[in-house]
Amino acid sequence: MKRFMMKSTFMLVIFCLFILSACSGASESAQSGKSSGSNTLTVAQNADAITLDPHKTNDHASANPMQQVYNTLVDLTPDMEVVPSLAESWEQVDDLTWQFKLRQGVKFHNGEELKASDVKFTYDRLLDPSTASPGAFLLEQVSEIKVVDDYTVEIISKEPFAPLIYNLTHVATGILNEKAVTEAGAQYGQNPVGTGPYKFVSWKKDSEIVFEKYDDYFDGAPSVDKLVFRIIPESSTAVAELKTDGVDIMIDLPSQHISQFENSDTVTVDRVPSFSVKYLSFNMQEKPFDDPKVRQAINYATDKEAIVKAAYQGTAVPATSPLAPGLNGYNDSLEGYPFDPEKAKELLAEAGYPDGFSSTLYISDADIDTKLGTILQSQLKKVGINLSLQVMEWGAFLDETAKGVPMFVLSWTTVTGDADNGMYALFHSKNAGGPGNRSFYKSETVDQLLDNGRKEIDPDKRLTYYQQAQETIVNDATWDFLAVSENIVGVNKRVKGFENMPTGTYKFEGISLE
């Protein structure tokens, strides 16, 4: 049996660019509830999960807690190599059929053994229209999940489906147990059951999610007994907790805090290039954003270099495309829109807005988004566009932007390392709203190119489709392409085995504590 071990060599190149560390001054005295000295790993993130049901969301704040509970059939290494997880091997039988051999003896947290029927249940549920899963696009081309025997399952697609193996690394395809889902009913998202290294214990909304190690984990029980995600929206508060051992790991450490840890005896700042693109976008079904000249004017009016300097302190680069550099299919010939406010004014006049217009910019309450909102408000005012800022809590922000808002700032991380994940959900007209296309963008050209990219099995030809799609999307000014930032994580030095990922999603099973 042929095992597919796919690897994108350019990922290795980009990943090896740098891993920088900085340290800082002496540690401060510990507070009550500190993590140091215990066998509890405490992780700070700036927003709470929406749900722990992988079929009911597709957001980053939910992904990291879910990564600890669930396993997918295959997994990604930091250099984007596809490796076994619940499937110990796999082969492509023909252009439409992939066969997976499952590990035997894997147990769910409720004691049930993993069988091929669980894989079928999971993927059927993901694709069921009644589930209304925002992750359904990941398996949209699949026509049948076939149980061959208890440990063999086949995935059959309607047509060649090139990104399938990458899409199966997405946490939305994490394998569920039918009995657990059925028993929990509508409450499953608050009572998750997987095969992962940590079992769910409790969830205090907007405060903390607690897990404990799963002793029967198929790859060996974690070294850490207890894992706690603390929800700390204010970055200054999370930084203070990191400095005083209140948390061990701080995800998304804002760049302005890096200097606080220079020469630190207790904290390392781990930085890697990310696959995340920050963008400003629009509801393209509404005036004035239905006019490409208006969208292009906003791109010309935005000084990306100033944004990188002021909002990211140089830990980002201006974005020139919907994909981050290093991803397969990235079009490096695109140069983006230069900063040219006079050109912006000309385009606004041609579009019928010589005096500009007023609108509302929706942003989440994350530090970086509020900062970007203020900068964009200032920059666009200089060409006559007056913005009111609407700041919202993360979950409410996602709900509102899925319905359609005039303007919004958001980011997308290509978590599978494949161009399909970075473009299909965001720009195909099928995925308007919650699945990812919150701009309500419609382009027959782009739809066709993205469909071709899914079907094309020749790797070089496939990537050409994505590069052509990027060119059209940039010319249409579907987004104002802002920045590609680093993934910056603060890590207490007692934490051993942390692996930073360009995808910004982390698994903590390999961590030990000193």
Side-chain angles (χ1 to χ4, degrees):
M1 178 173 290
K2 182 180 178 183
R3 173 176 290 180
F4 287 78
M5 301 286 284
M6 297 188 171
K7 183 176 182 179
S8 301
T9 53
F10 50 85
M11 297 298 179
L12 181 59
V13 173
I14 195 71
F15 181 73
C16 293
L17 283 176
F18 59 88
I19 295 178
L20 301 176
S21 295
C23 308
S24 89
S27 61
E28 301 175 22
S29 60
Q31 298 176 333
S32 61
K34 71 174 186 175
S35 56
S36 180
S38 72
N39 199 26
T40 297
L41 176 69
T42 305
V43 178
Q45 67 175 27
N46 58 23
D48 202 356
I50 305 296
T51 174
L52 298 180
D53 181 343
H55 294 174
K56 297 296 186 182
T57 189
N58 187 22
D59 76 293
H60 223 60
S62 303
N64 276 312
M66 289 195 294
Q67 292 274 11
Q68 322 311 318
V69 176
Y70 300 103
N71 293 108
T72 46
L73 288 187
V74 289
D75 206 353
L76 286 174
T77 65
D79 62 357
M80 299 296 104
E81 181 181 357
V82 179
V83 296
S85 183
L86 291 179
E88 60 183 7
S89 63
W90 59 94
E91 67 174 340
Q92 188 167 9
V93 177
D94 54 44
D95 284 351
L96 305 181
T97 306
W98 289 72
Q99 186 178 87
F100 295 83
K101 291 286 187 183
L102 303 182
R103 295 176 189 271
Q104 297 189 26
V106 175
K107 295 289 184 63
F108 286 96
H109 301 154
N110 62 358
E112 296 264 307
E113 184 182 5
L114 170 73
K115 298 285 183 63
S117 57
D118 293 303
V119 178
K120 177 175 173 57
F121 167 75
T122 298
Y123 295 164
D124 283 346
R125 181 177 185 260
L126 177 64
L127 290 167
D128 188 338
S130 68
T131 304
S133 175
F137 71 93
L138 293 163
L139 298 183
E140 191 177 85
Q141 262 57 38
V142 171
S143 59
E144 181 183 3
I145 310 299
K146 183 178 179 182
V147 174
V148 178
D149 59 41
D150 279 351
Y151 304 103
T152 308
V153 63
E154 289 183 347
I155 300 177
I156 302 166
S157 56
K158 306 165 195 168
E159 51 196 356
F161 190 23
L164 175 65
I165 197 69
Y166 293 103
N167 288 356
L168 293 179
T169 68
H170 196 292
V171 71
T173 68
I175 304 303
L176 312 180
N177 175 253
E178 182 172 5
K179 181 180 178 184
V181 173
T182 303
E183 287 180 349
Q187 300 305 309
Y188 180 74
Q190 290 75 48
N191 298 277
V193 172
T195 57
Y198 288 97
K199 296 191 297 184
F200 174 78
V201 174
S202 63
W203 184 358
K204 294 179 183 175
K205 196 65 179 169
D206 299 323
S207 177
E208 65 176 24
I209 307 173
V210 179
F211 303 94
E212 64 182 9
K213 74 175 181 180
Y214 180 40
D215 289 327
D216 292 329
Y217 183 50
F218 69 87
D219 204 24
S223 167
V224 172
D225 293 332
K226 188 176 176 183
L227 170 63
V228 180
F229 278 82
R230 287 185 57 192
I231 314 306
I232 308 178
E234 292 290 334
S235 65
S236 56
T237 303
V239 165
E241 294 276 13
L242 183 62
K243 293 168 75 174
T244 57
D245 299 337
V247 300
D248 296 300
I249 292 175
M250 180 180 172
I251 296 173
D252 296 331
L253 175 70
S255 55
Q256 71 267 25
H257 296 299
I258 292 175
S259 61
Q260 297 186 48
F261 298 102
E262 292 176 354
N263 304 315
S264 172
D265 293 328
T266 58
V267 174
T268 296
V269 178
D270 197 330
R271 301 165 54 182
V272 300
S274 82
F275 295 156
S276 179
V277 176
K278 181 70 77 175
Y279 62 93
L280 162 67
S281 194
F282 333 91
N283 183 344
M284 293 171 59
Q285 301 302 307
E286 293 185 358
K287 292 185 179 302
F289 307 110
D290 57 342
D291 189 331
K293 288 183 179 179
V294 170
R295 304 192 301 267
Q296 290 165 352
I298 291 171
N299 269 273
Y300 281 115
T302 307
D303 185 348
K304 280 85 169 180
E305 292 288 352
I307 286 175
V308 165
K309 185 176 180 181
Y312 293 94
Q313 286 74 45
T315 62
V317 295
T320 58
S321 142
L323 293 182
L327 281 164
N328 65 351
Y330 170 70
N331 189 336
D332 60 7
S333 70
L334 298 175
E335 296 181 353
Y337 289 84
F339 177 51
D340 188 344
E342 292 307 313
K343 179 72 173 176
K345 291 176 183 176
E346 289 176 19
L347 287 167
L348 286 173
E350 291 176 17
Y353 301 96
D355 299 322
F357 58 86
S358 297
S359 188
T360 302
L361 175 62
Y362 285 69
I363 52 178
S364 83
D365 57 2
D367 281 0
I368 186 63
D369 289 344
T370 55
K371 190 178 297 183
L372 286 170
T374 302
I375 294 172
L376 289 165
Q377 188 180 42
S378 173
Q379 291 188 355
L380 295 184
K381 186 175 183 179
K382 294 175 182 174
V383 297
I385 300 174
N386 296 301
L387 298 181
S388 300
L389 300 184
Q390 179 69 48
V391 183
M392 305 185 78
E393 175 273 332
W394 178 242
F397 173 79
L398 290 180
D399 287 343
E400 202 64 21
T401 53
K403 298 173 189 170
V405 298
M407 304 175 75
F408 61 96
V409 171
L410 195 52
S411 59
W412 181 274
T413 305
T414 304
V415 296
T416 69
D418 183 72
D420 177 76
N421 180 251
M423 299 184 71
Y424 190 80
L426 295 163
F427 302 108
H428 199 292
S429 59
K430 288 181 181 177
N431 296 315
N437 183 0
R438 294 165 194 259
S439 309
F440 297 87
Y441 175 59
K442 291 183 178 178
S443 165
E444 290 183 5
T445 301
V446 169
D447 282 356
Q448 188 62 59
L449 288 167
L450 296 180
D451 287 340
N452 291 346
R454 288 199 141 191
K455 290 184 278 191
E456 181 56 59
I457 57 176
D458 180 303
D460 293 335
K461 202 170 177 181
R462 179 172 180 254
L463 296 189
T464 300
Y465 290 131
Y466 291 116
Q467 290 170 347
Q468 292 172 348
Q470 286 165 73
E471 188 171 351
T472 301
I473 290 163
V474 171
N475 289 338
D476 285 347
T478 309
W479 292 352
D480 183 2
F481 307 90
L482 299 180
V484 180
S485 61
E486 298 175 7
N487 283 335
I488 307 173
V489 182
V491 185
N492 190 297
K493 290 185 176 180
R494 83 184 188 110
V495 176
K496 304 300 177 186
F498 171 75
E499 282 189 308
N500 205 344
M501 294 284 287
T503 58
T505 52
Y506 307 105
K507 295 179 178 177
F508 300 124
E509 64 188 87
I511 283 179
S512 61
L513 301 174
E514 288 188 341

